[in-house]
Amino acid sequence: MDNSIVISGTGLFTPPESISNEELVESFNAFVDLFNRQHEGEISSGHVEPLAYSSCEFIEKASGIKHRYVMVRDGILDPEIMMPLMDERAADSLSVQAEMGLLAAQQALAEADLDAADIDLVIVACAYTQRAYPAVAIEIQQALGCRGFGFDMQVACSSATFGVSAAQGLIQQGAASRVLVISPEICSAQVNYRDRDSHFIFGDVATAMVVERLQGCRSHLPLQIIGQRCITEYSNNIRSNFGFLNRCTPATAYAADKLFHQQGRKVFKELLPMIYSHLDSQFADAGLEPAMMKRLWLHQANINMNQFVVKKLLGEDVPPDMAPIVLDTYANTASAGSVIALHKCREGLRSGDMGLLCSFGAGYSIGSIILKTV
Ligand code: COA
């Protein structure tokens, strides 16, 4: 019997609203003017540092990001507010993350030629969930009409690849037969839009993947999982202190450290060698050469970082469609980034072609999955 496990469908929900670098920088710079005016006295006496302007040129050159989608624009660009303003929903209506995850999941199911009732495990794998419990996965399980069980898991930017690995393991164990791995990322709610270093980094999106056995799979485009490898190594260089204990220290419950913050330079320098050695050992153990990869669906945080990884794996002069970039329009969408690339950029692959789905980020964490077109 063929025990192969495949990703048999993918789905993508792109939020209806968007923000360009120009709009974001204009609002940041208006905030800077406001802050510097309000602190004029302290600044001239040397007690407060004046804030510096952001610039589109810096953002594009340093990150490759030009634009991002967001669930809600309202509030983000207002220099007095600088966060998305969302109405809280009643407990008996669908939560925002369930709603966007559901739309991505329906597409993935259609591509896999499955009904919701064929699914017996829903994993919501993303950087943040909007509440502690009940799990967003269980809400989606009910809304779609899936069987079995569901759970949420968080491994920051590597949630989706770790989610596929978990799905594969649970299928192999016999605990589930068909799994939805859904990543509804509302990163905009965790961005500090007043922080020049990071105000441009993130966008919102939802992705979904169906994972099942090749045997019985009805998809026209199944991607066989040839191998997967997950690694984590503790680092404080990408961090959010948001959590359920925040309210126990009221004075700092809304301080800036409760939002995303990072030492971007350090992350860049420390993660790259980790990615290189992780992939080197994964390919060597699988008896494969990186050059055998026809496509690299890489994490989408920074275009320069991706170029280093591509060069290391495939050498110079790699055609851009072999390592697709979506962060120019989507920005960093945490765990969903590499899955957006997988969803959008599979054209031209022939039966037997191999590709790499790879995420890297906070934790640190790296998740990499070698896939083969069936
Ligand atoms: N506009 C204009 N200038 C800015 C700026 C902005 N918005 N933000 C920072 N700068 C300035 C800095 O003040 C600094 O000036 P200096 O040289 O005079 O001190 C200069 O630009 C370089 O800043 P630095 O923070 O070193 O930029 P960088 O080249 O490292 O790029 C990141 C910043 C965040 C884009 C980059 O480090 C990165 O993406 N790292 C990887 C992060 C990652 O993958 N994280 C995973 C997240 S899940």
Side-chain angles (χ1 to χ4, degrees):
M1 177 173 137
D2 188 347
N3 285 323
S4 304
I5 292 175
V6 295
I7 295 175
S8 56
T10 60
L12 170 69
F13 164 74
T14 301
E17 307 202 38
S18 64
I19 299 177
S20 68
N21 282 355
E22 287 72 18
E23 291 173 301
L24 201 65
V25 166
E26 191 186 328
S27 97
F28 181 86
N29 291 348
F31 157 71
V32 168
D33 287 337
L34 195 69
F35 178 94
N36 289 349
R37 248 194 339 267
Q38 280 169 351
H39 296 84
E40 216 170 348
E42 296 138 291
I43 289 171
S44 53
S45 67
H47 289 100
V48 169
E49 280 291 313
L51 296 182
Y53 286 143
S54 181
S55 87
C56 296
E57 296 70 37
F58 169 83
I59 295 171
E60 201 175 326
K61 186 162 177 284
S63 70
I65 296 166
K66 299 177 187 166
H67 173 276
R68 70 281 299 134
Y69 293 96
V70 290
M71 288 304 286
V72 173
R73 253 172 79 101
D74 215 16
I76 293 178
L77 298 175
D78 182 335
E80 308 262 11
I81 300 173
M82 302 192 92
M83 61 180 160
L85 293 176
M86 302 185 189
D87 289 333
E88 209 166 74
R89 295 187 181 184
D92 58 0
S93 59
L94 207 60
S95 65
V96 185
Q97 278 186 304
E99 184 178 288
M100 59 200 286
L102 192 106
L103 292 168
Q106 283 166 337
Q107 264 187 41
L109 286 172
E111 197 177 286
D113 193 17
L114 293 176
D115 295 322
D118 296 320
I119 299 292
D120 54 8
L121 169 57
V122 177
I123 301 176
V124 163
C126 56
Y128 310 95
T129 49
Q130 66 181 87
R131 61 171 180 262
Y133 44 80
V136 176
I138 302 175
E139 191 183 358
I140 295 179
Q141 176 198 8
Q142 192 219 29
L144 276 174
C146 304
R147 296 174 294 119
F149 63 113
F151 60 84
D152 295 350
M153 56 178 275
Q154 273 90 53
V155 199
C157 291
S158 292
S159 301
T161 50
F162 277 49
V164 170
S165 297
Q168 183 192 18
L170 288 163
I171 293 171
Q172 279 163 343
Q173 273 178 30
S177 62
R178 291 194 177 99
V179 185
L180 265 170
V181 179
I182 307 172
S183 303
E185 295 285 13
I186 313 183
C187 304
S188 60
Q190 267 277 302
V191 171
N192 182 353
Y193 288 103
R194 295 188 172 92
D195 175 36
R196 181 172 174 254
D197 291 345
S198 63
H199 76 111
F200 55 88
I201 291 181
F202 288 103
D204 303 337
V205 82
T207 56
M209 292 177 275
V210 175
V211 183
E212 59 175 318
R213 288 192 185 280
L214 176 59
Q215 192 138 43
C217 159
R218 299 200 295 261
S219 167
H220 298 300
L221 306 154
L223 290 162
Q224 185 185 346
I225 300 173
I226 298 295
Q228 59 77 25
R229 188 162 293 192
C230 300
I231 191 166
T232 53
E233 196 175 298
Y234 189 70
S235 166
N236 276 322
N237 289 331
I238 316 171
R239 191 168 171 118
S240 162
N241 289 331
F242 172 77
F244 79 105
L245 289 179
N246 293 160
R247 67 187 285 270
C248 305
T249 320
T252 56
Y254 293 100
D257 69 301
K258 309 303 182 298
L259 300 173
F260 168 89
H261 53 287
Q262 71 169 351
Q263 304 289 325
R265 241 326 119 96
K266 280 195 186 162
V267 173
F268 202 110
K269 282 196 179 143
E270 292 176 5
L271 257 180
L272 271 177
M274 267 183 75
I275 298 164
Y276 295 164
S277 69
H278 175 86
L279 293 175
D280 275 351
S281 63
Q282 184 178 10
F283 282 119
D285 291 351
L288 299 171
E289 292 294 331
M292 294 160 89
M293 298 299 113
K294 294 278 187 274
R295 201 134 312 171
L296 305 177
W297 299 286
L298 298 179
H299 184 52
Q300 303 283 320
N302 181 297
I303 198 167
N304 304 311
M305 212 163 167
N306 284 23
Q307 281 166 358
F308 276 110
V309 176
V310 173
K311 193 169 156 191
K312 171 80 169 69
L313 293 180
L314 303 180
E316 305 276 359
D317 301 325
V318 175
D321 59 356
M322 278 186 79
I325 292 294
V326 300
L327 61 84
D328 53 346
T329 45
Y330 281 85
N332 183 344
T333 48
S335 73
S338 57
V339 187
I340 304 174
L342 177 70
H343 177 80
K344 283 179 151 303
C345 309
R346 261 177 289 167
E347 254 171 52
L349 288 181
R350 285 188 301 222
S351 177
D353 282 350
M354 284 188 282
L356 177 76
L357 179 73
C358 181
S359 65
F360 33 88
Y364 296 132
S365 59
I366 303 172
S368 51
I369 301 174
I370 301 173
L371 297 166
K372 183 167 144 188
T373 324
V374 176

